[in-house]
Amino acid sequence: MDAALTGLLAATPDTDDLDTRILDAALAEFETYGLRRVSVEDVAKRAGVARTTIYRRFTNKEQLLQAVILREVRRFLTAIADATEDLPSPEDAVVEGFVAGLQGARTHPLMTRVLQSEPEAFLPQLSMNGGAVMVAARDILADRLRRARPDDPQDFATVAEVLLRVAVSLLLVPGGGLTLDDEPAIRAFARDYLTRMLHAH
């Protein structure tokens, strides 16, 4: 497991079957009704537990939401790490990391729900824990770039962060002149334009 991913999740306690049941129910509620409308009582009903059972494990709705998001972040970062594992060049890592990140975010039911109905809630969640999500994703991708070109002194962390910020802007402000509606289009865009950030040697 990447150090960045491990670091982000280090404070997350191990979950038991009941925690998983509660988090699954909360995720389903948030995906269906959005972040604002869901109450702890709604989650309790879906999970088939008493509201007090949830409060014994999660202090309030905000803590429950953070636990759900952190679990989804783990899955998201793992997907980026898997997509960029053992690639032969930093260019490939740029392309596949960008594709995995953008497609993963666009197709995630909770992300889709929030961006459509509560877009103002997206950035605060992305920047939770001092921007740890962005930092972890950046560090994973930068690590892949360094592995593919270990003797290259360039600043791969900056390249990785620019990629992530481009992806975030495409999520928040769709449309415009960039028509990236499917995976081949995203991959071609990344290959033609984003790999230019890597210095030619």
Side-chain angles (χ1 to χ4, degrees):
M1 187 72 73
D2 293 83
L5 183 54
T6 302
L8 176 65
L9 303 171
T12 306
D14 292 333
T15 55
D16 58 22
D17 289 343
L18 183 54
D19 281 335
T20 299
R21 186 165 142 201
I22 292 169
L23 293 176
D24 286 346
L27 177 61
E29 286 289 314
F30 290 133
E31 287 175 351
T32 304
Y33 301 108
L35 305 184
R36 290 197 194 93
R37 292 175 56 191
V38 174
S39 68
V40 172
E41 186 170 356
D42 295 328
V43 175
K45 286 179 181 177
R46 185 181 284 263
V49 300
R51 187 172 53 179
T52 53
T53 300
I54 295 180
Y55 281 126
R56 280 198 294 269
R57 292 164 179 261
F58 305 96
T59 305
N60 51 38
K61 174 185 166 180
E62 182 61 27
Q63 191 180 86
L64 178 60
L65 173 60
Q66 292 298 316
V68 168
I69 290 173
L70 197 55
R71 190 178 66 164
E72 296 310 296
V73 165
R74 177 192 292 110
R75 293 170 175 169
F76 177 74
L77 295 180
T78 299
I80 293 177
D82 290 345
T84 54
E85 182 71 37
D86 297 328
L87 294 177
S89 73
E91 288 78 12
D92 289 332
V94 163
V95 172
E96 298 309 318
F98 187 76
V99 170
L102 185 56
Q103 283 291 82
R106 278 181 170 176
T107 58
H108 192 286
L110 180 57
M111 181 80 75
T112 301
R113 172 74 194 196
V114 171
L115 288 174
Q116 286 178 349
S117 63
E118 304 167 300
E120 71 283 357
F122 175 74
L123 285 176
Q125 296 303 331
L126 186 66
S127 60
M128 72 174 185
N129 300 322
V133 176
M134 177 74 78
V135 171
R138 178 202 69 193
D139 288 351
I140 287 171
L141 189 50
D143 176 68
R144 294 296 191 257
L145 296 174
R146 291 188 197 99
R147 286 193 206 178
R149 196 180 283 170
D151 298 325
D152 193 326
Q154 73 174 296
D155 184 2
F156 287 126
T158 295
V159 172
E161 184 162 336
V162 170
L163 290 174
L164 289 165
R165 292 186 181 278
V166 170
V168 169
S169 72
L170 289 170
L171 285 170
L172 290 176
V173 191
L178 296 178
T179 307
L180 305 179
D181 293 331
D182 54 35
E183 190 168 311
I186 297 170
R187 182 170 279 106
F189 170 77
R191 180 73 63 185
D192 291 344
Y193 295 99
L194 300 183
T195 57
R196 295 181 188 183
M197 288 188 292
L198 297 170
H199 300 160
H201 289 283

